[in-house]
Amino acid sequence: MKISPTFASTSSGPLLAVLSMLIAGCGGGGGGGASVSGSAANNGANLPVTDSATSPIINAALSSNYIDEDLKAFNLLNAERDRCGFGKLAQSAKLDVMASGHANWIAQNNGWGHFQIAGTTAFTGVTVQDRATNAGYVPNARISEGMGGFIVVADDSRGVRGLLNAPYHQINMLRGYRDLGVGIRPPPNVPGTPSRYILLNYGTLPPDTDQAPIASTVRTYPCGGSTGVERIMSGESPNPVPNRSLGIEPLGTSIAVVGDLGKQLTVTSATMTGPGGVAVTLRAPSNSLTDPNQGYLRINEAYVLADAPLSPNSTYQVFLTGTNGTSPFSRSFSFTTTIFTGP
């Protein structure tokens, strides 16, 4: 599975964070971990934080009008966020219009990226902000756009799984947006293909603020009980291990660690053991101060990477310690990797 992302940020009122990715699955509808390549800019790391007292995590059951592939993507992302304490996203009909419109424009014009061309077939707006406004999502809302292509597997969305194993994509997908719009379209002129374009638009409408956990909470993804976790990462942009070709020497699973908004998070130690208690080699933890690609992580975010692919359908135990602001924390949990054995 290959993911080629580009990130961009622009400002129209509040800072607008834009996320783009291209995922091409392995043949036969299978495939293993994510592979990410491309160029990138700031991934919304400098967006303002919100008051946790007025923006609690959303864990009530959510219904949607999605069907088929849209429903798979919606349910999977919500299930993974909810299980690990990041809160659910609500379906937004306006963001659905926005996402579906841009996915359709890409398919109709063999295009790519976040900018449409006026006068072309299925045109819905030049910029992300234009398309949000044209879809009726209030101007100056906080919004993020993710786009990609993936092979749909019968009971799961491997594209969502792959993005949740690329650290900069992963952390953006776990942030405190409240609304979600989904648009999925097949690529043009390829009848019967299982490949799809996917557009995910996340947003928070004023006067609402982003979701935030109860104070003194440190969350992870994956977390205790996570299953189907991707085990291979053969690329990310920017590369979290500069000067290493991830296509040749891939990484394993990415562990996201998120603390209190506005507080410096530091992971001081991290260990992982696999089947039989065998230790897994990990890269040194990265946070906003130590990450080799500055500007992608907020001060309350960090990640830990396995230095090599993990085994399929296997359970791993993780133990983390560190500080959340000035308060020490420790986390111990286990997760199980995907059954897929391919790249």
Side-chain angles (χ1 to χ4, degrees), residues 73-318:
F74 178 83
N75 283 344
L76 177 59
L77 181 54
N78 260 341
E80 298 306 284
R81 286 178 56 107
D82 186 48
R83 177 181 294 109
C84 297
F86 292 93
K88 292 187 175 183
L89 301 172
Q91 180 185 10
S92 165
K94 293 175 181 179
L95 290 183
D96 286 341
V97 168
M98 177 183 176
S100 296
H102 194 44
N104 188 49
W105 181 87
I106 289 170
Q108 293 292 323
N109 294 279
N110 292 307
W112 194 251
H114 297 287
F115 296 93
Q116 295 184 15
I117 300 172
T120 54
T121 301
F123 174 76
T124 59
V126 173
T127 68
V128 173
Q129 189 65 59
D130 291 339
R131 295 192 294 276
T133 300
N134 293 341
Y137 205 70
V138 176
N140 295 325
R142 181 166 178 264
I143 191 166
S144 175
E145 178 172 275
M147 58 183 274
F150 63 89
I151 286 183
V152 176
V153 179
D155 296 320
D156 208 347
S157 168
R158 300 299 308 291
V160 172
R161 292 282 188 189
L163 290 172
L164 282 170
N165 191 43
Y168 304 118
H169 293 79
Q170 175 189 60
I171 285 174
N172 188 60
M173 295 172 79
L174 300 173
R175 286 174 174 159
Y177 302 105
R178 302 175 71 90
D179 299 329
L180 176 66
V182 178
I184 298 178
R185 294 289 185 276
N189 306 317
V190 192
T193 178
S195 298
R196 297 291 185 268
Y197 293 118
I198 180 170
L199 259 292
L200 299 175
N201 284 120
Y202 315 92
T204 299
L205 281 172
D208 286 336
T209 53
D210 284 351
Q211 299 185 63
I214 297 171
S216 302
T217 299
V218 174
R219 299 161 292 164
T220 68
Y221 183 84
C223 61
S226 293
T227 60
V229 175
E230 289 291 356
R231 64 187 191 88
I232 301 173
M233 183 178 65
S234 52
E236 166 71 296
S237 178
N239 190 339
V241 187
N243 302 318
R244 172 169 166 173
S245 175
L246 301 185
I248 297 172
E249 190 181 1
L251 296 162
T253 297
S254 175
I255 308 294
V257 189
V258 181
D260 290 344
L261 289 167
K263 294 181 181 179
Q264 181 66 58
L265 181 77
T266 301
V267 178
T268 54
S269 69
T271 62
M272 182 186 296
T273 55
V278 176
V280 174
T281 300
L282 303 177
R283 306 288 305 180
S286 290
N287 67 3
S288 63
L289 300 177
T290 62
D291 190 51
N293 303 294
Q294 288 293 295
Y296 287 83
L297 301 178
R298 298 177 184 169
I299 65 172
N300 66 311
E301 299 167 339
Y303 65 86
V304 179
L305 294 170
D307 194 52
L310 304 184
S311 298
N313 197 28
S314 299
T315 299
Y316 289 83
Q317 181 72 33
V318 179

